[in-house]
Amino acid sequence: LPSNVAKQTGEVNVAEQPVWQSFAQLRCTIVAVSSRATIRDVAALAGVHPATVSRALDPRRSGRISAATAERVEAAARQLGYAPDPIARTLRSQRDSTVGVLVPDLRNPVFPPIVAGIEDRLSSGGYTALIANTGNDLERERTQLEVFRRRRCDGYIVATATVDDASVTELVGGPDPVVLVNRRLDGVAAVSVGSDDRQGIRLVLEHLVGLGHRHIAHLTGPENLSVVRVRAEAFRAEAARFGLPAETSIVVHCSALDTPSALDPARELLARHPALSAVVAGNDLIALGCYVAADAAGRSCPADLSVVGYNDMPLVEWWRPALTTVRIAQYEIGREAASLLLARMSSQDPSEAKHVVMPVELVVRASTAPPSTGT
Amino acid sequence: LPSNVAKQTGEVNVAEQPVWQSFAQLRCTIVAVSSRATIRDVAALAGVHPATVSRALDPRRSGRISAATAERVEAAARQLGYAPDPIARTLRSQRDSTVGVLVPDLRNPVFPPIVAGIEDRLSSGGYTALIANTGNDLERERTQLEVFRRRRCDGYIVATATVDDASVTELVGGPDPVVLVNRRLDGVAAVSVGSDDRQGIRLVLEHLVGLGHRHIAHLTGPENLSVVRVRAEAFRAEAARFGLPAETSIVVHCSALDTPSALDPARELLARHPALSAVVAGNDLIALGCYVAADAAGRSCPADLSVVGYNDMPLVEWWRPALTTVRIAQYEIGREAASLLLARMSSQDPSEAKHVVMPVELVVRASTAPPSTGT
DNA sequence: GTGAAAGCGCTAACAA
DNA sequence: TTGTTAGCGCTTTCAC
């Protein structure tokens, strides 16, 4: 057991040991790695008090310790393969090198790349990401948040917020740093990362109008998502700017940003507006819903109906037809969110709220074409 | 602060309180929920020792406590909104209601549904899943596993194992329950969940041979994945069973089960075997690599080359052409793995190793057709 | 069946 | 700069 081993070699000065002790220490290292050394073992081996070990190993206090001691402690720690127990450390210090990440739906292919960006950046900053999937369930979001808080996460990245989300609003008001991703709260200042939605919609309409479309609808998600609101707003504004008559620029909301929720609204949209020649979808999954509805209505895309997605999630270039969509910088959004959080966690001062806007790009593929002249 | 509040209302018997105290208690509840009540607050309010509270609230010890006490303690706990601190509990008991889940690549769309199944089942069993993404990086797997172990996870679900994976082998040999998903270790008995790969490959070859194909290749991932080995083995065996000449049944391994790794091998395969009329891919992402390579070689799928995938991950029915593939029960595999783990975690006795096989199904879409007669 | 005492491994406060 | 003391909140002995 490491404790015993450490006691035996207790006060020995590492630098002055005869060669024949090296092997004993080597064995000791092996033992210590497979079971686990405590801070007391390290203290005993280095001949100092446990508290000194704690200080010596704390990067924040690197100045407040004598170089000689620091070196001895580090040598002992390395030798024993010591790493502080995160549970004990958290219990005592009430902080944890952990970030809670809340994702609405991991099965939506946009999110895995965002999560990958978050994980990569966070782990390079010495933090571990705890990922929780809420499945768009507000109650589950609340529960997961509670779990995170009980575990004393040092910060949070939230991609699930609705505009009036009570739990998230409370979280943002609390002492721990929070970064919102792709979502914002109504009337609550916060740190957030998003994309240039206005520009995305502008590019889409420019493209469609350029192709000759005049009768265009926006089929999107629930209005309690900031991203939905902003894009719908932009759609109306840009449609007006391009001189499209208001009565031919329809906005329809689905209950969620996924394919099943889009099916009925899409069917109804096509049935009620036979003159419609293009649909701008709130995201790629809703665009897929439009494909299905168009099929069912006997209209082929893009000949009889142009469809544009949003996000450019992985593999949509392989859909049939390949989806024209707005590319958002998924991985980079994740990295940026993590960077902002790391910055806020390291500097004590609560830097003011800000919204980082990432650039977008229109990717034209095969789901858009000039409107059919027959209609 | 809950401590003060609890002390003030200390010895009061809840059942006998006059009405005017109810409001005070209501306030007390609200306070306690927003900050946090400790076990001492509950003990004070119930008029018992903290240890008694701990016992009363422990479902395993439900018999060893008097009904009256149990009731008083529960009332007090409810009133204060008390929930044990998971960190302190873990430090003391060396166990944690947490399961570490290791996934090789969340960006591969097969995994999110599996993870969803795991999460759903686990949370219904009172456990929280900690998800870690290794990105097929062995070193990162080791690191994440170490993080999980330091946090005293009660169990592990591992979907990242290679056949000779040292960290996972050690984990399986350890005291904590482990369930392997879609992967197995060489020569190490373990609990695992997988699919009926032999049957899947049989269905594929039956389909292709039925269409008239005689010259078929299997393009798959690295041989250190059990699932790759088993399917390759099945491919050879079934090809022989269907009377295909061995020299026309080629197996080619890519460095990973993803699209980029498949591109070069796929191109080379098509170049060296012009007579090849069908490819059975090791998974859907490799099938996509075949699409790309076929495009580049000027061969169109399915007219000039049939391609079959494996997994039936979400949205492949929308690829161009829609992918014929073997459907595995993704969500159910996750649920089953979690169920097995829950069973092993609740019963102390280490139930013996077993391998649960889930059924598969061939989904015929548009990427397969009879071989072109011209070739 | 319940209380008292001890301590999981660490770090914050204070003292020297 | 370092040691001492105390305790984070809980559960697990061991008495009674």
Side-chain angles (χ1 to χ4, degrees):
Chain A
L1 292 172
S3 298
N4 303 333
V5 173
K7 269 168 199 148
Q8 283 161 22
T9 54
E11 305 277 286
V12 176
N13 183 323
V14 174
E16 292 176 10
Q17 284 167 51
V19 175
W20 59 265
Q21 280 207 350
S22 301
F23 183 61
Q25 290 189 352
L26 186 63
R27 280 190 52 239
C28 159
T29 304
I30 293 165
V31 171
V33 168
S34 63
S35 81
R36 44 184 159 281
T38 72
I39 199 170
R40 295 147 87 131
D41 302 322
V42 178
L45 181 56
V48 295
H49 193 273
T52 305
V53 174
S54 173
R55 284 183 286 245
L57 264 31
D58 182 346
R60 296 173 306 181
R61 284 199 182 44
S62 52
R64 300 169 167 265
I65 216 95
S66 82
T69 310
E71 213 166 306
R72 280 228 313 290
V73 168
E74 270 163 46
R78 212 174 316 119
Q79 186 176 335
L80 296 174
Y82 170 76
D85 183 328
I87 296 292
R89 186 208 278 275
T90 299
L91 180 60
R92 178 65 241 236
S93 67
Q94 302 289 43
R95 347 181 319 108
D96 189 13
S97 303
T98 261
V99 169
V101 180
L102 242 38
V103 178
D105 183 12
L106 266 184
R107 294 156 96 162
N108 179 338
V110 220
F111 288 109
I114 293 177
V115 169
I118 293 174
E119 282 179 322
D120 287 352
R121 183 75 189 85
L122 240 33
S123 73
S124 80
Y127 283 83
T128 303
L130 303 182
I131 315 294
N133 197 202
T134 67
N136 283 312
D137 178 343
L138 213 69
E139 178 54 23
R140 196 149 160 186
E141 180 195 72
R142 217 185 47 69
T143 310
Q144 280 290 358
L145 221 38
E146 184 58 22
V147 170
F148 284 162
R149 300 180 81 167
R150 296 291 289 184
R151 299 199 166 262
R152 329 279 206 292
C153 284
D154 280 350
Y156 304 89
I157 295 181
V158 181
T160 59
T162 56
V163 290
D164 55 354
D165 193 311
S167 341
V168 177
T169 302
E170 191 197 328
L171 188 71
V172 168
D176 298 318
V178 182
V179 175
L180 267 30
V181 175
N182 264 355
R183 307 279 138 110
R184 305 181 72 180
L185 295 165
D186 249 13
V188 178
V191 178
S192 55
V193 182
S195 294
D196 191 345
D197 290 316
R198 180 68 186 254
Q199 170 72 357
I201 293 292
R202 179 181 302 133
L203 291 171
V204 169
L205 282 181
E206 198 171 273
H207 171 61
L208 290 175
V209 169
L211 287 171
H213 293 276
R214 301 284 296 166
H215 201 147
I216 305 173
H218 183 41
L219 182 64
T220 184
E223 284 192 277
N224 64 359
L225 260 31
S226 62
V227 82
V228 166
R229 284 206 195 160
V230 171
R231 290 178 195 165
E233 192 67 29
F235 177 80
R236 291 200 185 86
E238 292 296 323
R241 211 173 64 85
F242 281 108
L244 302 184
E247 67 276 17
T248 64
S249 315
I250 308 140
V251 175
V252 175
H253 293 277
C254 309
S255 60
L257 278 169
D258 57 32
T259 306
S261 311
L263 294 179
D264 281 339
R267 273 194 276 264
E268 197 183 316
L269 180 69
L270 293 180
R272 287 169 61 158
H273 300 276
L276 198 69
S277 68
V279 179
V280 178
N283 75 356
D284 295 336
L285 293 173
I286 291 207
L288 185 55
C290 295
Y291 280 12
V292 177
D295 263 9
R299 301 179 64 169
S300 96
C301 172
D304 308 325
L305 184 75
S306 287
V307 175
V308 181
Y310 211 107
N311 285 346
D312 192 32
M313 60 188 213
L315 306 180
V316 295
E317 68 268 38
W318 290 99
W319 288 4
R320 183 193 40 194
L323 186 67
T324 294
T325 186
V326 176
R327 173 176 297 163
I328 66 170
Q330 304 163 59
Y331 181 85
E332 289 73 22
I333 287 174
R335 280 193 71 92
E336 181 63 27
S339 293
L340 287 171
L341 191 69
L342 286 172
R344 282 209 59 194
M345 290 192 302
S346 63
S347 75
Q348 290 323 36
D349 59 346
S351 63
E352 70 278 23
K354 63 171 159 184
H355 179 59
V356 174
V357 176
M358 307 290 281
V360 298
E361 177 184 353
L362 179 68
V363 183
V364 177
R365 300 202 182 91
S367 66
T368 46
S372 55
T373 48
T375 326
Chain B
L1 295 172
S3 299
N4 304 333
V5 173
K7 269 166 199 149
Q8 284 161 21
T9 53
E11 304 277 286
V12 175
N13 182 322
V14 174
E16 292 176 10
Q17 284 165 49
V19 174
W20 59 264
Q21 280 207 349
S22 301
F23 182 61
Q25 290 190 351
L26 187 63
R27 279 189 51 239
C28 158
T29 303
I30 293 164
V31 170
V33 168
S34 62
S35 82
R36 46 186 159 281
T38 73
I39 199 171
R40 295 145 88 130
D41 302 320
V42 179
L45 182 56
V48 296
H49 193 272
T52 305
V53 174
S54 174
R55 285 184 283 246
L57 262 33
D58 182 346
R60 295 173 309 182
R61 281 198 184 46
S62 54
R64 299 168 167 265
I65 215 94
S66 83
T69 310
E71 213 165 307
R72 280 229 312 290
V73 168
E74 270 163 45
R78 210 173 317 120
Q79 186 177 334
L80 296 175
Y82 170 75
D85 183 327
I87 296 292
R89 186 209 279 274
T90 299
L91 180 60
R92 178 62 238 236
S93 68
Q94 302 287 39
R95 341 182 325 105
D96 189 11
S97 302
T98 260
V99 169
V101 180
L102 242 39
V103 179
D105 182 13
L106 266 184
R107 295 156 98 159
N108 179 337
V110 221
F111 289 108
I114 293 177
V115 169
I118 292 173
E119 281 179 322
D120 288 353
R121 183 74 189 85
L122 240 34
S123 74
S124 80
Y127 282 83
T128 303
L130 303 183
I131 314 295
N133 197 201
T134 67
N136 283 312
D137 179 343
L138 213 69
E139 178 54 24
R140 195 148 160 189
E141 180 195 71
R142 217 185 49 69
T143 309
Q144 280 290 358
L145 220 39
E146 185 58 22
V147 170
F148 284 163
R149 300 180 82 168
R150 298 289 290 183
R151 300 199 165 262
R152 327 283 207 290
C153 285
D154 280 351
Y156 304 89
I157 295 180
V158 181
T160 58
T162 56
V163 290
D164 55 354
D165 194 311
S167 343
V168 177
T169 301
E170 192 197 327
L171 187 72
V172 168
D176 298 318
V178 181
V179 175
L180 266 31
V181 175
N182 264 355
R183 305 280 139 111
R184 306 181 72 179
L185 296 166
D186 247 14
V188 178
V191 178
S192 56
V193 182
S195 293
D196 192 344
D197 290 316
R198 179 69 185 255
Q199 170 70 358
I201 293 293
R202 179 180 302 133
L203 292 170
V204 169
L205 283 181
E206 198 172 274
H207 171 60
L208 290 175
V209 170
L211 287 171
H213 294 276
R214 302 284 296 167
H215 202 147
I216 305 173
H218 183 40
L219 182 65
T220 183
E223 284 191 278
N224 64 359
L225 259 32
S226 62
V227 81
V228 166
R229 284 205 195 163
V230 170
R231 288 178 195 166
E233 192 68 28
F235 177 79
R236 290 199 186 88
E238 292 296 324
R241 212 173 64 85
F242 280 108
L244 303 184
E247 67 277 14
T248 64
S249 315
I250 308 139
V251 176
V252 174
H253 293 278
C254 309
S255 60
L257 279 168
D258 56 33
T259 306
S261 311
L263 294 180
D264 282 338
R267 273 194 276 263
E268 197 184 315
L269 180 69
L270 294 181
R272 287 169 62 159
H273 300 275
L276 198 70
S277 68
V279 179
V280 179
N283 75 357
D284 296 336
L285 293 173
I286 291 209
L288 185 55
C290 295
Y291 280 13
V292 177
D295 263 9
R299 301 179 64 170
S300 96
C301 172
D304 308 324
L305 183 75
S306 286
V307 175
V308 182
Y310 212 108
N311 285 348
D312 192 31
M313 58 187 216
L315 305 179
V316 295
E317 68 269 37
W318 290 98
W319 288 3
R320 181 193 42 194
L323 186 68
T324 294
T325 187
V326 176
R327 174 177 297 164
I328 67 171
Q330 305 163 56
Y331 182 84
E332 289 73 22
I333 287 173
R335 280 191 70 92
E336 181 62 27
S339 293
L340 287 171
L341 191 70
L342 286 172
R344 281 208 59 194
M345 290 191 303
S346 64
S347 76
Q348 289 325 36
D349 58 346
S351 64
E352 70 278 24
K354 63 172 162 183
H355 180 59
V356 175
V357 176
M358 307 291 280
V360 298
E361 177 184 355
L362 179 70
V363 183
V364 177
R365 299 202 181 91
S367 65
T368 47
S372 55
T373 48
T375 327

